[in-house]
Amino acid sequence: MSGPAVVRSLRPLSAVVVPGWLAEIVRPRRAPVPWPEMARAALAICVPLSVSFAAGRGSLGVLPATGGLLGTLADAGGPYLNRVKRVCSAAVFGGAAGLAIGAVTHGHGWLAVVALVVVAGVSGLLSARGDIGSVTGLQLLVYTSLGAGPIGALRPVWHTAAGFLAGVVWALILILPGWLHAPYGREQRDVAAVYDALAGLAVVGLAGFEPATSATQTRRASQAALQPVPG
């Protein structure tokens, strides 16, 4: 039996072992490149560092760049108000609070260890409070650990938190152009993509038959379109 014939004979068996719906779920899909988010992250991190190096004081840009990093990582997209709430919560109650705790306990040996254990417990409790609580708890633990290191030796402590929050504010400012241009543009595009995908499924159903590859592509498009729609 030739190779193509063997492959054709195995196809019914593979359909029994792996149902089509299951294969469709686990099939990897290529995600679009988030060019706007990448550009905003580059500006949020690199601009503070570039300004500080241009002024001849490179170390001053580290904390604002760190805040810009958190401001971009904590931003998961969606409605603009939710984005601001998520970033602000992660920055104030997570990053800034963690840096302050780490700086206060810096160099105190076992006190720093106990503080880190307590913060880890609080972080776990916050993670059970939903999406915003989860990202806030994670940043609280991460930045407490960071503050217990060399960055915690900076004094006064409020300078550390202020420099960090300045970077977060800069990251939030970079969100404004998109909001001013189209406040609900992201939601409208997501909903339109869902309707387009559902229309494609309707065409498949009305036609009664369609090549398997085309029907599969339509189903995959509908699944991909449904994912980004805000709940």
Side-chain angles (χ1 to χ4, degrees):
M1 186 179 293
S2 63
V6 173
V7 173
R8 286 194 297 271
S9 65
L10 290 177
R11 282 176 181 171
L13 179 61
S14 65
V16 173
V17 176
V18 183
W21 63 267
L22 179 59
E24 199 61 39
I25 292 175
V26 300
R27 191 188 307 275
R29 287 184 286 270
R30 179 177 297 178
V33 179
W35 293 110
E37 288 79 3
M38 292 169 60
R40 191 166 64 85
L43 292 174
I45 298 169
C46 296
V47 168
L49 290 174
S50 300
V51 172
S52 63
F53 277 114
R57 304 189 63 180
S59 60
L60 289 180
V62 173
L63 288 172
T66 305
L69 175 63
L70 182 143
T72 55
L73 290 179
D75 183 10
Y80 283 95
L81 182 59
N82 289 349
R83 294 170 66 182
V84 172
K85 287 181 179 179
R86 181 183 173 95
V87 172
C88 289
S89 177
V92 176
F93 303 110
L99 286 175
I101 294 171
V104 170
T105 60
H106 175 78
H108 288 80
W110 283 105
L111 177 61
V113 175
V114 172
L116 189 59
V117 171
V118 172
V119 167
V122 174
S123 174
L125 293 175
L126 289 175
S127 298
R129 304 293 296 177
D131 177 55
I132 294 180
S134 177
V135 69
T136 301
L138 174 62
Q139 302 305 326
L140 176 63
L141 180 59
V142 168
Y143 282 91
T144 300
S145 304
L146 185 63
I151 197 172
L154 300 175
R155 292 294 184 271
V157 175
W158 70 269
H159 277 187
T160 303
F164 173 81
L165 291 176
V168 175
V169 171
W170 166 238
L172 289 175
I173 291 174
L174 294 175
I175 298 178
L176 288 177
W179 179 75
L180 294 174
H181 176 68
Y184 303 103
R186 175 67 179 272
E187 292 84 347
Q188 292 170 350
R189 288 192 297 270
D190 291 342
V191 173
V194 172
Y195 278 112
D196 288 341
L198 292 177
L201 286 175
V203 170
V204 173
L206 291 175
F209 66 92
E210 189 171 340
T213 55
S214 180
T216 298
Q217 292 174 355
T218 305
R219 287 195 299 271
R220 291 178 63 185
S222 65
Q223 292 170 355
L226 284 169
Q227 290 176 356
V229 175

